[in-house]
Amino acid sequence: MANSITLLFLSLALCFLLPSPSLAQFSFGQQGFGQPLLSQRRLGYRSQCQLERLAALEPTRRVPSEAGFTEYFDQLNEQLQCAGVVAYRRTIQPRGLVLPYYSNAPKLVYIVQGRGISGTVIPGCPESFQSLRQGFEQQWEEESESQSQRFRDEHQKVQFFREGDVLAYPAGVANWVYNNGEVPIIAIAVADTSSNANQLDRQHRQFLLAGRERQSQEQIAQVEERFQQQKGNNLLSGFELELLAEALGVDKEVVRKIQNLNDNRGDIVRVEKGLQMLEPQRRAEQEAQEQEREEREETQERRGSSCEGNGLEETYCTLKNRQNIANPTLADYYNPRAGRLTSLNVQKLPILRFIQLSAERGVLRRNAIQPPHWNINAHSIMYVVRGSGRLQVVGHRGRTVFDGELRQGQLLVIPQQHIVIKKAQSEQFEWISFKTNENAFVSHIVGKTSVLRGIPVEVLMNSYRVSREEARRLKFNRGNEIAIFSPRQEREQQGSVLDSVKELITGVFMA
């Protein structure tokens, strides 16, 4: 009897000590903390990544709006199907407003050009931007005479973004974007339809809260038939007039307007007089300086911290969802003769723990090389921001699956554990890579902290049947360079200069 009671108490103690599944799933419908090398984004999903050849992709469908357009890459393409993502590029004209919407998949957006304002409405969070109006001023029609004051407007926090920013949006969270600049905003977005947050299907769905999507200009029969069901009015248009009027507390005429049945502007509309909203007033120069200072401080803090949160960073209402990765001072790898690499993962932007995506931005000078490497725990969706470069991708059993040029505006999917090498062909080759893991890891073949550097010389000699001297050159020839290598000609010139200096020094001592 005593043994039974003891076992009972031990069982209850274990129940309290072991983490609860509900606590572990602290996210927008996704897994929370996971092992560094284990992706939890595809539980129950078996991908068919039998790719014999890869190809550079360009948008196949263009949907126009009054103040911009959206270009979609073919989500039925086997490369995107393998990675479990969709990609699209959005252009927003000055004073253009992307109407509020949400989607069934988390996404990362990279701002290729322009600047603007973004708003994200997170459920359960308070409206932190408020403007107070005194009772003797003009008031709402519904306000009772006994009230002494009322809020003129209140809304959740809005934020400014600029070129080089990455914006993270969880699935099912409403958001909107406005272009308050003088040039069009160009943004490339990748949405993870195979995420655990999406329990519908692998098709990307955007749920409009306002507006009405137009028909695409290209009429590609098979693709258009697949996407025809997505087009139409916003969600509020599907409700009965009287029922919706009662729910919103407005009259039927207002409901007819918000249902937008005859609105042909699309989902990006023009705000003729500019968008006026409650926001802190700061000068542009001060704003830029403050943003750069905050980014430097945050990067230093992230580099010194572990991947585990401290309890405050996981509060949805205060999570930051923007980070600039185009600023050269924030580069993780920098070589003045070759270029730079900047990564964005969960250590730098904690909200990525819920998005389960990360990003990397690369810049290579002409003829510079990013040596052979592979992604250990993620697919990579690479989009060329500027310039052009030559890429080779090698898959299973040494099969070359891609060998060609990648130009500005093109996209290429590099499957997990496929080895890729990049060489800049233009004066400057720039790209953004979206990776399907919030903490993507890369393994390099050559250079400092690489595979060859970590293998003993004797093993290299017997593996490749080379001499000891050849094995040593193979292991150490790239010196202390990491991730990005300077052009060979510059290295040879640098080597000849060093040899000349050595000869001069030797001659001086001999004399």
Side-chain angles (χ1 to χ4, degrees):
M1 182 68 179
N3 290 336
S4 301
I5 295 176
T6 302
L7 289 174
L8 177 61
F9 276 108
L10 285 174
S11 301
L12 291 173
L14 287 173
C15 290
F16 283 105
L17 289 174
L18 291 176
S20 169
S22 60
L23 293 177
Q25 294 179 347
F26 183 76
S27 62
F28 289 99
Q30 301 184 28
Q31 292 279 344
F33 308 111
Q35 298 299 323
L37 298 180
L38 178 61
S39 173
Q40 298 181 351
R41 60 189 290 274
R42 287 176 173 76
L43 297 180
Y45 169 66
R46 296 293 181 268
S47 177
Q48 300 295 326
C49 291
Q50 304 298 326
L51 300 176
E52 298 296 330
R53 297 292 299 177
L54 299 176
L57 304 180
E58 294 185 358
T60 58
R61 193 167 61 98
R62 189 174 187 267
V63 179
S65 294
E66 180 186 50
F69 54 88
T70 305
E71 300 168 291
Y72 293 91
F73 293 85
D74 181 13
Q75 76 174 57
L76 301 181
N77 181 275
E78 60 179 354
Q79 297 176 59
L80 294 175
Q81 289 277 304
C82 168
V85 300
V86 299
Y88 60 92
R89 184 171 60 208
R90 180 161 276 166
T91 299
I92 310 168
Q93 299 297 333
R95 297 200 305 275
L97 172 65
V98 179
L99 297 175
Y101 75 98
Y102 61 90
S103 66
N104 64 322
K107 65 182 177 183
L108 288 184
V109 180
Y110 178 76
I111 307 301
V112 178
Q113 172 187 292
R115 64 182 179 87
I117 302 174
S118 173
T120 304
V121 183
I122 302 177
C125 296
E127 289 72 26
S128 56
F129 280 34
Q130 298 176 334
S131 175
L132 197 62
R133 155 177 302 188
Q134 298 301 322
F136 56 84
E137 296 178 349
Q138 181 182 357
Q139 299 174 348
W140 301 107
E141 295 180 0
E142 295 82 8
E143 182 179 357
S144 65
E145 296 180 358
S146 61
Q147 290 177 308
S148 60
Q149 61 183 18
R150 188 176 181 90
F151 290 112
R152 180 172 56 186
D153 188 21
E154 57 181 15
H155 53 76
Q156 288 195 14
K157 182 179 179 180
V158 297
Q159 62 179 344
F160 297 91
F161 63 81
R162 67 185 192 277
E163 180 177 325
D165 279 350
V166 173
L167 303 175
Y169 295 101
V173 173
N175 60 90
W176 54 269
V177 175
Y178 175 67
N179 184 349
N180 66 344
E182 298 177 354
V183 300
I185 292 175
I186 300 176
I188 179 73
V190 168
D192 184 6
T193 55
S194 60
S195 166
N196 295 324
N198 175 28
Q199 300 185 25
L200 295 176
D201 52 32
R202 296 291 299 279
Q203 183 175 335
H204 183 235
R205 301 174 184 272
Q206 292 188 351
F207 297 83
L208 300 180
L209 294 173
R212 187 167 178 260
E213 189 180 22
R214 287 181 177 179
Q215 297 290 324
S216 61
Q217 292 179 341
E218 293 81 9
Q219 297 297 324
I220 304 175
Q222 295 180 350
V223 177
E224 283 301 312
E225 183 179 355
R226 173 70 180 270
F227 287 96
Q228 193 67 31
Q229 297 179 353
Q230 292 190 38
K231 304 180 185 303
N233 304 321
N234 65 61
L235 296 174
L236 299 180
S237 66
F239 292 105
E240 183 186 31
L241 192 67
E242 294 183 0
L243 185 60
L244 186 58
E246 181 180 357
L248 298 179
V250 296
D251 57 44
K252 296 179 182 178
E253 186 59 31
V254 175
V255 172
R256 288 192 181 93
K257 292 179 179 179
I258 68 174
Q259 288 184 332
N260 299 113
L261 295 177
N262 298 317
D263 192 344
N264 295 316
R265 297 177 298 170
D267 57 352
I268 309 175
V269 303
R270 181 174 292 106
V271 183
E272 296 296 342
K273 297 182 180 181
L275 195 63
Q276 302 296 326
M277 72 184 73
L278 182 64
E279 61 187 10
Q281 298 298 322
R282 296 191 301 177
R283 294 181 180 179
E285 296 179 358
Q286 293 177 344
E287 178 186 332
Q289 292 175 358
E290 289 182 12
Q291 285 180 334
E292 292 180 2
R293 177 180 56 79
E294 292 173 359
E295 287 163 1
R296 286 195 296 268
E297 292 176 354
E298 290 174 2
T299 301
Q300 293 172 358
E301 291 175 359
R302 298 284 178 246
R303 285 174 177 170
S305 64
S306 63
C307 63
E308 295 295 335
N310 60 12
L312 296 177
E313 292 175 342
E314 290 94 34
T315 304
Y316 292 150
C317 301
T318 59
L319 272 177
K320 178 183 175 183
N321 75 325
R322 179 190 61 83
Q323 178 71 40
N324 190 279
I325 59 174
N327 190 335
T329 63
L330 302 178
D332 296 294
Y333 300 103
Y334 174 68
N335 185 328
R337 299 184 303 275
R340 63 183 186 270
L341 284 177
T342 308
S343 62
L344 180 64
N345 53 28
V346 69
Q347 281 84 9
K348 297 180 181 179
L349 195 63
I351 196 175
L352 295 182
R353 183 176 292 115
F354 312 131
I355 306 296
Q356 295 189 305
L357 294 171
S358 58
E360 178 188 74
R361 190 178 189 276
V363 178
L364 289 181
R365 294 181 57 186
R366 183 184 292 275
N367 295 325
I369 289 179
Q370 187 180 17
H373 63 280
W374 72 90
N375 291 283
I376 295 177
N377 58 344
H379 299 298
S380 179
I381 299 88
M382 177 181 173
Y383 175 83
V384 180
V385 176
R386 292 180 185 86
S388 63
R390 185 190 176 190
L391 272 75
Q392 284 189 333
V393 182
V394 177
H396 186 52
R397 294 180 178 175
R399 294 177 180 173
T400 303
V401 294
F402 183 83
D403 183 1
E405 182 185 28
L406 207 60
R407 303 185 304 276
Q408 179 176 335
Q410 292 185 324
L411 182 146
L412 180 69
V413 175
I414 303 172
Q416 178 187 10
Q417 297 174 359
H418 283 52
I419 296 182
V420 58
I421 185 172
K422 306 168 187 172
K423 182 176 182 179
Q425 292 183 321
S426 59
E427 191 63 32
Q428 193 151 284
F429 178 45
E430 303 181 28
W431 73 89
I432 176 75
S433 292
F434 302 90
K435 301 190 178 184
T436 57
N437 190 295
E438 70 275 16
N439 201 24
F441 284 85
V442 174
S443 181
H444 294 90
I445 294 290
V446 64
K448 192 173 179 64
T449 71
S450 68
V451 172
L452 293 182
R453 194 66 172 262
I455 297 177
V457 171
E458 291 282 342
V459 175
L460 294 178
M461 290 172 56
N462 288 275
S463 297
Y464 299 115
R465 300 178 68 181
V466 295
S467 66
R468 181 177 297 276
E469 181 58 30
E470 289 172 330
R472 293 178 69 88
R473 289 203 303 268
L474 184 65
K475 183 173 181 177
F476 296 107
N477 251 16
R478 273 298 179 174
N480 291 324
E481 290 185 292
I482 305 176
I484 46 176
F485 293 170
S486 56
R488 184 175 180 180
Q489 294 178 351
E490 290 190 11
R491 287 178 55 83
E492 291 177 350
Q493 293 174 0
Q494 183 182 14
S496 63
V497 171
L498 292 176
D499 291 339
S500 300
V501 172
K502 290 179 181 178
E503 292 177 2
L504 180 60
I505 294 174
T506 303
V508 170
F509 280 105
M510 291 292 293

